[in-house]
Amino acid sequence: MNKFLGNLGRAINEGFSEVSTQTSAEAQRNEELSNLEVKIKEIDLKIEKRYTLLGQTVADSLRKTEPVNQEFLMPLFIPIKELDWERQQLLEVIKEIKAKQADQLKAQELIIAKKQVQDEVHKLQELKDMGVIDLEEFEVTEAKLNKRVDNFEKLYNLKIAFERSLISRDEYLRRKAMLE
């Protein structure tokens, strides 16, 4: 009994440690994303101010019925191009962070699926050892369970498609049943 409680305690502690580490990493990524989004908003404000300055310059020329001087406008427009480039770089970093988050979530779901299948196979093995099911039934059921892990990528993508409303609930359930 003490061995069981010791193993259970260790498993719980490992679970808490893993969750704590994941939560900390997630919080760090979310903070980084927030900081990047703030920088993008600051750039957007700077761009807006530059466009206002550019528009005022054009309006002043038109008000005076003077031709708009391209040479005078270019120095006002160059910082806009630089800000656009900086904004694009930040958007790329955000895209990379979100892709890493998606990959991590996918990996976590795969681990969970593998653990669930492993637990079910263990139960099947016990049933077989007890004589409740025969070898053929064990193998068939085990193959069905392993199909969830083997088709994980397709099942995951199917779930994402459903969550994004790309397919109907009926289509999702039909395809999921075929893959499981």
Side-chain angles (χ1 to χ4, degrees), residues 66-149:
E66 297 173 355
V68 178
N69 188 346
Q70 296 290 330
E71 292 175 20
F72 185 66
L73 294 178
M74 281 313 284
L76 296 174
F77 186 71
I78 290 173
I80 293 173
K81 288 174 64 174
E82 291 170 357
L83 289 168
D84 280 340
W85 181 85
E86 186 178 343
R87 184 179 194 282
Q88 187 59 40
Q89 297 307 306
L90 292 174
L91 289 172
E92 288 296 320
V93 171
I94 288 173
K95 185 177 176 181
E96 288 173 18
I97 290 171
K98 287 184 177 183
K100 285 179 186 175
Q101 283 179 326
D103 288 346
Q104 187 174 25
L105 287 174
K106 187 176 179 181
Q108 288 172 349
E109 286 193 33
L110 177 59
I111 290 168
I112 290 168
K114 283 182 177 181
K115 175 124 179 65
Q116 289 171 341
V117 167
Q118 192 177 32
D119 291 345
E120 291 296 319
V121 168
H122 181 70
K123 289 177 189 175
L124 279 175
Q125 183 65 45
E126 284 187 44
L127 289 172
K128 187 181 94 157
D129 293 346
M130 295 170 61
V132 176
I133 62 174
D134 63 7
L135 180 62
E136 183 180 333
E137 190 176 357
F138 171 82
E139 289 174 347
V140 168
T141 308
E142 181 184 31
K144 285 181 183 177
L145 288 170
N146 283 327
K147 197 172 177 185
R148 269 193 255 159
V149 174

Side-chain angles (χ1 to χ4, degrees), residues 13-29 104 108:
N13 286 338
E14 287 174 2
F16 281 140
S17 176
E18 184 178 324
V19 168
S20 175
T21 303
Q22 289 172 356
T23 303
S24 175
E26 185 70 23
Q28 219 172 10
R29 277 191 298 278
Q104 187 174 25
Q108 288 172 349

